[in-house]
Amino acid sequence: MARREKGGFWVGLAATVFYPLTAIGKRVYLGAEKVPRQGPAVLVMNHISHLDPVVDAVFVHRQKRVPRFFLKASLKDVPVFGRIVTGSGQIPVARGSSAAGDSLKAAHQALSEGKVIVIYPEGTITRDPAGWPKDAYTGAARLALQNDVPVIPISRWGTNRIFNGYTKKFTPFPRKTVTHLVGDPIDLSAYRGGNPRSASLLREVTQVMMDRITQQLAEIRHEEPPAKKPADDA
């Protein structure tokens, strides 16, 4: 049995705060054993609610791993929470600045140290009222191609029914079910021989990731996804 990855004081404090918050929903974990219990990995997930990072952090922590998220750099300045973000090894993203590339460097470093990176390829929550994934950015693909580590697709559904980022409606009761479905690692061997900075290759790999995430989301929802991805401003 794999031991729990050590997270230190700040990860423990975050767990103390986050675990009770996730009790707002009933949790269902499908395929959770596919999350590597040791060694580096990239977990790619859909993004449907502002509650996702908290719920997903607890999900990963329950698999005995310490998640590293990409978070807005401004969160470091929030009292107490900012110290938790820094102390628990989260990766700040200074969007639109010359330092934006530093976040990927930090992620590469974390993977080289055997850590788990959680990334939402869409960047922000989907604006699709039905909750289907929108077109994604290529950062996750870039990270995956430049690091020969497991890339695990995870789809989650239910957080949007608690807090809907599209309508801004908060509906904690009655309790909703939040489901995580973990898929098999994505085989990227056919893409690793190319230029990892090629725009066309990055778009193709991004599409492969999002197709898997969408397929799994359709399985959770028992619905067929739309033929066309929602636009960013849907």
Side-chain angles (χ1 to χ4, degrees):
M1 181 178 294
R3 296 181 178 179
R4 175 176 295 281
E5 180 183 351
K6 293 182 179 179
F9 172 78
W10 292 106
V11 171
L13 179 60
T16 300
V17 175
F18 288 176
Y19 270 68
L21 290 177
T22 60
I24 198 171
K26 305 173 186 177
R27 67 178 185 273
V28 173
Y29 295 163
L30 304 173
E33 71 280 357
K34 297 177 183 178
V35 175
R37 295 306 191 265
Q38 56 186 3
V42 176
L43 310 184
V44 289
M45 309 181 73
N46 63 313
H47 201 1
I48 52 177
S49 170
H50 295 296
L51 294 178
D52 292 343
V54 171
V55 170
D56 297 340
V58 170
F59 166 76
V60 175
H61 194 257
R62 286 185 181 276
Q63 312 320 312
K64 300 183 179 181
R65 300 306 305 267
V66 175
R68 270 77 181 180
F69 288 82
F70 289 88
L71 299 175
K72 292 181 180 179
S74 58
L75 292 176
K76 294 193 303 180
D77 300 325
V78 178
V80 182
F81 183 74
R83 190 65 187 89
I84 293 176
V85 166
T86 303
S88 60
Q90 305 312 305
I91 301 171
V93 180
R95 294 175 180 172
S97 74
S98 59
D102 292 344
S103 60
L104 277 181
K105 292 179 183 178
H108 292 313
Q109 180 63 31
L111 289 173
S112 72
E113 296 172 354
K115 310 301 184 183
V116 167
I117 298 294
V118 181
I119 186 168
Y120 303 121
E122 298 165 88
T124 59
I125 62 172
T126 179
R127 294 289 293 170
D128 177 35
W132 293 104
K134 66 180 182 65
D135 286 332
Y137 298 100
T138 59
R142 189 182 303 273
L143 194 62
L145 289 177
Q146 293 183 26
N147 297 273
D148 192 5
V149 302
V151 178
I152 314 295
I154 304 177
S155 302
R156 175 227 325 91
W157 186 247
T159 49
N160 55 315
R161 292 176 172 172
I162 301 172
F163 182 69
N164 189 309
Y166 188 75
T167 64
K168 308 302 182 186
K169 186 175 182 181
F170 181 57
T171 313
F173 302 108
R175 289 179 74 206
K176 316 297 190 298
T177 297
V178 176
T179 301
H180 285 78
L181 174 59
V182 185
D184 294 324
I186 300 174
D187 183 4
L188 297 178
S189 56
Y191 305 97
R192 293 196 182 281
N195 179 0
R197 291 180 172 80
S198 164
S200 60
L201 179 61
L202 289 170
R203 285 194 297 269
E204 186 173 355
V205 171
T206 299
Q207 189 64 54
V208 169
M209 292 179 177
M210 296 311 299
D211 283 349
R212 284 285 298 277
I213 291 171
T214 302
Q215 290 166 8
Q216 292 174 189
L217 183 58
E219 183 178 341
I220 297 173
R221 296 175 58 170
H222 304 289
E223 299 176 36
E224 286 297 319
K228 183 178 180 181
K229 289 187 186 302
D232 287 355
D233 58 351

